[in-house]
Amino acid sequence: MLNHVSAGPDGDTAVVFLHSLGTDHRMWRDQAEALGTRHRVVLPDSRGHGGSAWTGPPAVGDWVTDLDGVLDAAGVRRAVLVGLSLGGIQAIAYAAAHPGRVSALVVADSFAALDPEVATAKAEGLAGQALSEGTAALADTYVADTFTVSPLPPGAEVVRSAIAGMDAEAYAATARACFGARVEDRLGAVRAPTLVLWGDRDRKTPRALSERIAAGIEGAELAEVPGAGHLSNLENPAEFTRLVAGFADGRS
């Protein structure tokens, strides 16, 4: 069972936040505090991240099963899923597999499929660094390469400590699974109202990848988070939270 944190009013509906590769539930602190005043919020740690044990290299189906177990354990009947990067892939896959359990979907700074050469380069670059240099060195490099604002936002230290605290083998295997994931053929099965968000300074997942997600889900909306890079919820938390809260209200 994955580690998860639950807060806010009791109930069988919730806003569920799914974090990015290498991070953990703490990256959602600002959003959980803001939305937790009127929604139940649930924040899982993906396998091998944060407080969740590593149980071996995952496939997309494993992430779906993991999330289903979290919702069962938390007593969540229907959820607004909010996923960023890796969490966005997980959210798409779950929404496609369990449409009756997802009342709305938010996918931020993510992708449904990468060109195989790009996927391999990204996966092996990060996996190789984790295995050869260790996750502490990788964490420093990732923070320097990812954040686009100065001074760094408070959430940057959360990202650094989360990545540095991961087992290198778990990070490498998850990076390969993340960048190799292909859920584009599942977009048409998503029935929930969907909001696709993209930080307008995101150098890691270009806008075209978000446009492809929005085009593949009937009725999906696409909005930009201004002044924010790949981890848009950390670089512009106020605007990211406003967009998510406006979308989640009435749907959870």
Side-chain angles (χ1 to χ4, degrees):
M1 175 57 59
L2 299 186
N3 178 63
H4 68 275
V5 174
S6 182
D10 291 336
D12 64 356
T13 62
V15 182
V16 180
F17 291 93
L18 306 176
H19 61 76
S20 61
L21 171 65
T23 65
D24 58 38
H25 73 273
R26 295 174 295 162
M27 76 172 291
W28 297 113
R29 179 185 59 193
D30 289 336
Q31 287 73 41
E33 288 180 356
L35 272 70
T37 61
R38 58 188 184 277
H39 300 277
R40 186 180 181 203
V41 295
V42 176
L43 304 97
D45 288 333
S46 192
R47 59 171 65 188
H49 294 65
S52 291
W54 176 242
T55 53
V60 171
D62 297 319
W63 289 325
V64 170
T65 300
D66 287 347
L67 181 53
D68 209 40
V70 167
L71 298 187
D72 286 344
V76 175
R77 177 178 54 85
R78 281 174 61 81
V80 174
L81 294 183
V82 182
L84 189 148
S85 195
L86 167 64
I89 297 167
Q90 295 170 340
I92 290 168
Y94 190 87
H98 298 284
R101 207 166 187 182
V102 179
S103 57
L105 176 66
V106 180
V107 180
D109 300 286
S110 192
F111 57 88
L114 294 177
D115 177 87
E117 291 185 2
V118 172
T120 298
K122 285 179 175 289
E124 294 309 315
L126 288 170
Q129 186 178 2
L131 294 171
S132 64
E133 300 178 19
T135 52
L138 172 65
D140 289 338
T141 302
Y142 183 84
V143 167
D145 289 348
T146 302
F147 286 93
T148 67
V149 296
S150 182
L152 292 175
E157 187 52 40
V158 169
V159 172
R160 188 193 309 273
S161 67
I163 296 174
M166 279 194 73
D167 174 79
E169 293 283 353
Y171 184 94
T174 308
R176 289 172 175 139
C178 172
F179 293 113
R182 303 188 70 83
V183 297
E184 199 162 33
D185 61 347
R186 308 183 194 202
L187 294 175
V190 175
R191 298 289 178 260
T194 299
L195 174 64
V196 181
L197 298 178
W198 179 72
D200 68 357
R201 296 178 180 174
D202 185 355
R203 300 186 298 262
K204 293 182 176 290
T205 51
R207 179 185 167 100
L209 296 173
S210 290
E211 291 174 346
R212 284 169 60 183
I213 295 172
I217 299 175
E218 185 176 358
E221 306 170 31
L222 175 62
E224 290 190 1
V225 182
H230 183 59
L231 301 180
S232 54
N233 72 306
L234 296 176
E235 292 205 6
N236 191 346
E239 181 62 11
F240 188 100
T241 303
R242 185 190 71 80
L243 289 166
V244 171
F247 196 71
D249 285 347
R251 293 187 169 102
S252 70

